[in-house]
């Protein structure tokens, strides 16, 4: 019997307009009413993750920044796994020398040092995720991140990090150049105690080795007394693989990467077709 569901956000829980669909929200509440714990596990930082969850009137724990930080349903921090200064400096050197744009995810929010590249990164992400929106709509979605404070512009990454009590949780890098991205990824993987993943074909997500969605889901399940045989996970991309490795029931979205579908027990509808709601209701029927 499933007692805990962990759900990815972008490309999974959210539709292409980056909001929780009505049916997905209803299905989550149906599961919660039956005593099932629902956890959102995302690569977003906590602030950017919390907004669409709150708009959908959902209350649940959030595993953010690929597991670098976990918070309970009231927003209290349960765990934090940062990138240390030595790792950060090596990562900065590798990305800069390969001319790869990147953003920082910190306890003070997400920051960029280049407004236009930040906009283009979101557009490229939406394109790689299969969005059929026109360019104007995609750029508006990208600009909205700045307008709502989900990301802010800074002059210097080093100066920002040197602020008091700033903790670096994740570095998100972007490149459409396959060869450059592959070479950079190999160099990053040589750095000790890092986890290297991706949420789309054109990006690289860099966190502490302890900051992985699967580890965070496992820790939360243990906290609430749920075994991994009672866990269901739903995802669509490479940063969800660690969740698929630890859960009994693995669900891939219809829009998921083929490699993710190959790991799944079940393939649900796409994120534009309320795939999360379909998977949850199927599980609830089988749970009885």
């Amino acid at each position: 019997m499933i007692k805990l569901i962990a759900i990815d956000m972008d490309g999974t829980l959210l539709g292409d307009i980056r909001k929780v669909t009505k049916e997905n929200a209803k299905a989550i509440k149906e599961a919660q009413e039956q005593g099932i714990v629902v956890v959102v596990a995302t690569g977003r930082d906590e602030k950017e993750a919390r907004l669409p969850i709150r708009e959908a009137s959902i209350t649940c724990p959030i595993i953010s920044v690929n597991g670098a930080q976990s918070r309970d349903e009231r927003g209290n921090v349960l765990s934090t796994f940062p990138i240390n200064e030595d790792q950060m400096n090596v990562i900065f050197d590798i990305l800069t020398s390969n001319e790869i744009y990147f953003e920082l995810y910190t306890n003070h929010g997400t920051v960029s040092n280049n407004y236009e590249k930040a906009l283009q990164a979101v557009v490229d992400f939406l394109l790689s995720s299969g969005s059929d929106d026109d360019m104007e709509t995609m750029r508006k979605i990208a600009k909205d991140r700045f307008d709502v404070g989900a990301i802010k512009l800074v002059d210097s990454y080093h100066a920002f990090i040197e602020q008091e009590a700033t903790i670096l949780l994740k570095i998100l890098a972007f490149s459409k150049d396959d060869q450059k991205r592959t070479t950079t990824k190999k160099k990053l993987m040589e750095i000790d105690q890092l986890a290297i993943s991706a949420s789309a074909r054109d990006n690289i997500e860099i966190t502490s080795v302890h900051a992985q969605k699967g580890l965070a889901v496992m820790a939360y399940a243990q906290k609430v007394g749920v075994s991994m045989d009672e866990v269901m996970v739903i995802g669509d991309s490479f940063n969800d693989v660690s969740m698929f490795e630890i859960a009994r029931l693995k669900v891939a979205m219809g829009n998921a990467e083929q490699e993710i579908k190959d790991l799944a027990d079940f393939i649900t509808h796409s994120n534009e077709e309320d795939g999360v709601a379909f998977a949850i209701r199927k599980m609830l029927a089988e749970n009885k």
Side-chain angles (χ1 to χ4, degrees):
M1 178 176 287
I2 298 300
K3 296 182 180 179
L4 186 150
I5 310 170
I7 310 171
D8 170 54
M9 287 195 77
D10 292 282
T12 302
L13 181 61
L14 308 184
D16 286 348
I17 61 171
R18 296 162 75 88
K19 293 182 181 293
V20 181
T21 69
K22 290 181 179 179
E23 285 303 310
N24 286 348
K26 285 173 62 178
I28 285 174
K29 291 168 188 175
E30 290 165 14
Q32 290 174 325
E33 287 169 1
Q34 294 192 30
I36 296 172
V37 177
V38 177
V39 179
V40 166
T42 179
R44 294 182 175 208
D45 71 11
E46 198 274 339
K47 182 177 181 180
E48 191 172 11
R50 188 71 66 178
L51 182 61
I53 298 300
R54 187 181 297 115
E55 288 177 345
S57 300
I58 296 170
T59 301
C60 69
I62 293 182
I63 293 167
S64 61
V65 212
N66 285 353
Q69 193 165 80
S70 295
R71 295 175 183 254
D72 65 18
E73 62 275 11
R74 294 179 297 276
N76 299 314
V77 176
L78 301 174
S79 63
T80 302
F81 299 104
I83 296 170
N84 66 44
E85 185 177 356
D86 290 340
Q87 292 170 323
M88 178 193 75
N89 289 330
V90 176
I91 296 166
F92 280 14
D93 287 345
I94 290 172
L95 295 175
T96 303
S97 65
N98 283 278
E99 299 180 328
I100 291 183
Y101 166 72
F102 60 98
E103 298 170 357
L104 307 186
Y105 285 57
T106 78
N107 60 319
H108 295 320
T110 304
V111 297
S112 167
N113 63 358
N114 189 306
Y115 182 76
E116 278 302 321
K117 288 184 178 180
L119 298 187
Q120 190 59 47
V122 173
V123 170
D124 290 341
F125 174 82
L126 293 172
L127 289 171
S128 68
S129 300
S131 173
D132 55 5
D133 289 329
D134 57 43
M135 188 60 63
E136 183 180 353
T137 299
M138 288 189 286
R139 280 186 65 85
K140 181 183 183 304
I141 291 171
K143 290 177 180 178
D144 284 347
R145 292 183 72 214
F146 283 95
D147 293 342
V148 302
I151 184 171
K152 60 183 177 181
L153 197 63
V154 297
D155 293 327
S156 165
Y157 284 156
H158 281 288
F160 180 79
I161 289 294
E162 288 169 4
Q163 293 182 48
E164 185 177 357
T166 298
I167 299 172
L168 179 58
L169 299 172
K170 182 177 83 170
I171 298 174
L172 181 59
F174 304 85
S175 176
K176 294 183 69 64
D177 186 319
D178 292 343
Q179 183 174 354
K180 185 183 291 187
R181 195 174 60 254
T182 299
T183 300
T184 300
K185 209 179 251 190
K186 287 180 179 178
K187 290 181 179 179
L188 292 169
M189 291 176 72
E190 294 173 359
I191 304 173
D192 192 37
Q193 296 294 296
L194 286 184
I196 310 299
S197 61
S199 55
R201 288 283 179 184
D202 298 336
N203 70 30
I204 306 171
E205 301 200 342
I206 308 157
T207 60
S208 161
V209 71
H210 304 293
Q212 300 184 54
K213 288 186 182 183
L215 295 176
V217 169
M218 187 182 301
Y220 195 82
Q222 291 173 347
K223 173 180 171 59
V224 297
V226 173
S227 76
M228 300 317 296
D229 286 336
E230 299 168 317
V231 173
M232 168 181 168
V233 299
I234 312 175
D236 75 305
S237 199
F238 301 104
N239 63 352
D240 298 317
V241 169
S242 62
M243 294 200 297
F244 278 52
E245 292 173 341
I246 54 90
R248 180 175 75 81
L249 181 56
K250 302 165 276 289
V251 179
M253 300 298 294
N255 53 285
E257 301 286 352
Q258 186 58 50
E259 293 93 329
I260 308 304
K261 291 180 178 179
D262 291 343
L263 297 174
D265 300 306
F266 169 66
I267 300 172
T268 187
H269 303 320
S270 76
N271 65 317
E272 281 289 277
E273 300 169 311
D274 302 314
V276 166
F278 183 82
I280 289 176
R281 286 168 177 155
K282 181 176 185 297
M283 178 276 295
L284 290 176
E286 295 171 353
N287 244 13
K288 294 178 180 178

Coordinates of all heavy atoms in Angstrom, one line a residue, residues 88-119:
M88 N 32.9 25.3 -4.9 CA 32.3 26.5 -5.6 C 33.4 27.1 -6.6 O 33.1 27.3 -7.7 CB 31.8 27.5 -4.7 CG 31.2 28.7 -5.4 SD 30.9 30.1 -4.2 CE 32.6 30.7 -4.0
N89 N 34.5 27.3 -6.0 CA 35.6 28.0 -6.8 C 36.0 27.2 -8.0 O 36.2 27.7 -9.1 CB 36.8 28.3 -5.9 CG 36.5 29.4 -4.9 OD1 35.7 30.3 -5.2 ND2 37.1 29.4 -3.8
V90 N 36.1 25.9 -7.8 CA 36.5 25.0 -8.9 C 35.4 25.0 -10.0 O 35.7 25.0 -11.2 CB 36.8 23.6 -8.4 CG1 37.1 22.6 -9.6 CG2 38.0 23.6 -7.4
I91 N 34.2 24.9 -9.5 CA 33.0 24.9 -10.4 C 33.0 26.2 -11.2 O 32.8 26.1 -12.5 CB 31.7 24.7 -9.7 CG1 31.6 23.3 -9.0 CG2 30.5 24.8 -10.6 CD1 30.6 23.2 -7.9
F92 N 33.1 27.3 -10.6 CA 33.1 28.6 -11.3 C 34.2 28.6 -12.3 O 33.9 29.1 -13.5 CB 33.4 29.7 -10.3 CG 32.2 30.1 -9.5 CD1 31.0 29.4 -9.4 CD2 32.2 31.3 -8.7 CE1 29.9 29.8 -8.7 CE2 31.1 31.7 -8.0 CZ 30.0 31.0 -7.9
D93 N 35.4 28.1 -12.0 CA 36.5 28.1 -13.0 C 36.2 27.3 -14.2 O 36.4 27.7 -15.4 CB 37.8 27.6 -12.3 CG 38.4 28.7 -11.3 OD1 38.0 29.8 -11.4 OD2 39.2 28.3 -10.5
I94 N 35.6 26.1 -14.0 CA 35.3 25.2 -15.1 C 34.2 25.8 -16.0 O 34.4 25.8 -17.2 CB 34.8 23.8 -14.5 CG1 36.0 23.1 -13.9 CG2 34.2 23.0 -15.7 CD1 35.6 21.8 -13.2
L95 N 33.2 26.3 -15.4 CA 32.1 26.9 -16.2 C 32.5 28.1 -17.0 O 32.2 28.3 -18.1 CB 30.9 27.2 -15.3 CG 30.2 25.9 -14.7 CD1 29.1 26.4 -13.7 CD2 29.7 25.0 -15.7
T96 N 33.2 29.0 -16.3 CA 33.7 30.2 -16.9 C 34.7 30.0 -18.0 O 34.6 30.6 -19.1 CB 34.3 31.2 -15.8 OG1 33.4 31.4 -14.8 CG2 34.8 32.5 -16.5
S97 N 35.6 29.1 -17.8 CA 36.6 28.8 -18.8 C 36.0 28.1 -20.1 O 36.5 28.2 -21.2 CB 37.7 27.8 -18.3 OG 37.2 26.6 -17.9
N98 N 34.8 27.5 -19.9 CA 34.1 26.8 -21.0 C 33.0 27.7 -21.6 O 32.2 27.3 -22.4 CB 33.6 25.5 -20.6 CG 34.6 24.4 -20.5 OD1 35.0 23.8 -21.5 ND2 35.1 24.1 -19.3
E99 N 33.0 29.0 -21.1 CA 32.0 30.0 -21.5 C 30.6 29.5 -21.4 O 29.8 29.6 -22.3 CB 32.3 30.4 -23.0 CG 33.7 31.0 -23.1 CD 34.0 31.4 -24.6 OE1 33.5 30.8 -25.5 OE2 34.7 32.4 -24.7
I100 N 30.3 28.9 -20.3 CA 28.9 28.4 -20.0 C 28.2 29.3 -19.0 O 28.8 29.5 -17.9 CB 29.0 26.9 -19.5 CG1 29.4 26.0 -20.7 CG2 27.6 26.5 -19.0 CD1 29.5 24.6 -20.3
Y101 N 27.1 29.8 -19.4 CA 26.3 30.6 -18.5 C 25.7 29.8 -17.3 O 25.3 28.6 -17.5 CB 25.1 31.3 -19.2 CG 24.1 31.9 -18.3 CD1 24.4 33.1 -17.6 CD2 22.8 31.3 -18.2 CE1 23.4 33.6 -16.8 CE2 21.9 31.9 -17.4 CZ 22.2 33.0 -16.7 OH 21.2 33.6 -15.8
F102 N 25.7 30.3 -16.1 CA 25.1 29.6 -15.0 C 24.5 30.6 -14.0 O 24.8 31.8 -13.9 CB 26.2 28.8 -14.3 CG 27.4 29.5 -13.7 CD1 27.5 29.9 -12.4 CD2 28.5 29.9 -14.6 CE1 28.6 30.6 -11.9 CE2 29.6 30.6 -14.1 CZ 29.6 30.9 -12.7
E103 N 23.6 30.0 -13.1 CA 22.9 30.7 -12.1 C 23.1 30.1 -10.8 O 23.4 28.9 -10.7 CB 21.4 30.8 -12.4 CG 21.0 31.5 -13.7 CD 19.6 31.3 -14.1 OE1 18.8 30.6 -13.4 OE2 19.2 31.9 -15.1
L104 N 23.0 30.9 -9.7 CA 23.2 30.3 -8.3 C 21.9 30.3 -7.6 O 21.1 31.2 -7.6 CB 24.2 31.3 -7.6 CG 25.5 31.6 -8.2 CD1 26.3 32.4 -7.2 CD2 26.3 30.4 -8.7
Y105 N 21.7 29.1 -6.9 CA 20.6 28.9 -6.0 C 21.1 28.9 -4.6 O 21.9 28.1 -4.2 CB 19.9 27.6 -6.3 CG 19.1 27.5 -7.6 CD1 19.7 27.9 -8.8 CD2 17.7 27.2 -7.5 CE1 18.9 27.8 -10.0 CE2 17.0 27.2 -8.7 CZ 17.6 27.5 -9.9 OH 16.8 27.4 -11.1
T106 N 20.6 29.9 -3.8 CA 21.1 30.1 -2.4 C 20.0 30.2 -1.4 O 18.8 30.2 -1.8 CB 22.0 31.4 -2.3 OG1 21.1 32.5 -2.3 CG2 22.9 31.5 -3.5
N107 N 20.3 30.2 -0.2 CA 19.3 30.4 0.9 C 18.7 31.8 0.8 O 17.7 32.1 1.5 CB 19.9 30.2 2.3 CG 21.1 31.1 2.6 OD1 21.9 31.4 1.7 ND2 21.2 31.5 3.8
H108 N 19.3 32.7 0.1 CA 18.8 34.1 -0.1 C 18.1 34.2 -1.5 O 17.9 35.3 -2.0 CB 19.9 35.1 0.0 CG 20.5 35.2 1.4 ND1 19.7 35.1 2.5 CD2 21.8 35.4 1.8 CE1 20.5 35.2 3.6 NE2 21.7 35.4 3.1
G109 N 17.8 33.1 -2.2 CA 17.2 33.1 -3.4 C 18.1 32.8 -4.6 O 19.3 32.5 -4.4
T110 N 17.5 32.8 -5.8 CA 18.2 32.5 -7.0 C 18.7 33.8 -7.7 O 18.0 34.8 -7.7 CB 17.3 31.7 -8.0 OG1 16.8 30.6 -7.4 CG2 18.1 31.3 -9.3
V111 N 20.0 33.8 -8.2 CA 20.5 35.0 -8.8 C 21.2 34.7 -10.1 O 21.7 33.6 -10.4 CB 21.6 35.6 -7.8 CG1 20.9 36.1 -6.5 CG2 22.7 34.7 -7.5
S112 N 21.2 35.7 -11.0 CA 21.8 35.7 -12.3 C 22.7 36.9 -12.4 O 22.4 37.9 -11.8 CB 20.7 35.7 -13.4 OG 21.3 35.9 -14.7
N113 N 23.7 36.8 -13.2 CA 24.6 37.9 -13.5 C 24.4 38.4 -14.9 O 25.2 39.3 -15.4 CB 26.0 37.6 -13.2 CG 26.6 36.5 -14.1 OD1 25.9 36.0 -15.0 ND2 27.9 36.2 -14.0
N114 N 23.4 37.9 -15.6 CA 23.1 38.3 -17.0 C 21.6 38.2 -17.3 O 21.1 37.1 -17.5 CB 24.0 37.5 -18.0 CG 23.9 38.0 -19.4 OD1 22.9 38.2 -20.0 ND2 25.1 38.2 -20.0
Y115 N 20.9 39.3 -17.4 CA 19.5 39.3 -17.6 C 19.1 38.6 -18.9 O 18.2 37.7 -18.9 CB 19.0 40.7 -17.6 CG 17.5 40.9 -17.7 CD1 16.6 40.6 -16.7 CD2 16.9 41.2 -19.0 CE1 15.2 40.7 -16.8 CE2 15.5 41.4 -19.1 CZ 14.7 41.1 -18.0 OH 13.3 41.2 -18.1
E116 N 19.7 38.9 -20.0 CA 19.3 38.3 -21.3 C 19.5 36.8 -21.3 O 18.7 36.1 -21.8 CB 19.9 39.0 -22.5 CG 19.3 40.3 -22.9 CD 17.8 40.1 -23.3 OE1 17.5 39.1 -24.0 OE2 17.0 41.0 -23.0
K117 N 20.7 36.4 -20.8 CA 21.0 35.0 -20.8 C 20.0 34.2 -19.8 O 19.7 33.1 -20.1 CB 22.4 34.7 -20.4 CG 23.4 35.1 -21.5 CD 24.8 34.8 -21.1 CE 25.8 35.2 -22.2 NZ 27.2 34.9 -21.9
A118 N 19.6 34.9 -18.8 CA 18.6 34.3 -17.9 C 17.3 34.0 -18.6 O 16.7 33.0 -18.4 CB 18.4 35.1 -16.6
L119 N 16.9 35.0 -19.4 CA 15.6 34.9 -20.1 C 15.8 33.8 -21.2 O 14.9 32.9 -21.3 CB 15.3 36.2 -20.9 CG 15.0 37.4 -20.0 CD1 14.5 38.6 -20.9 CD2 14.0 37.1 -18.9

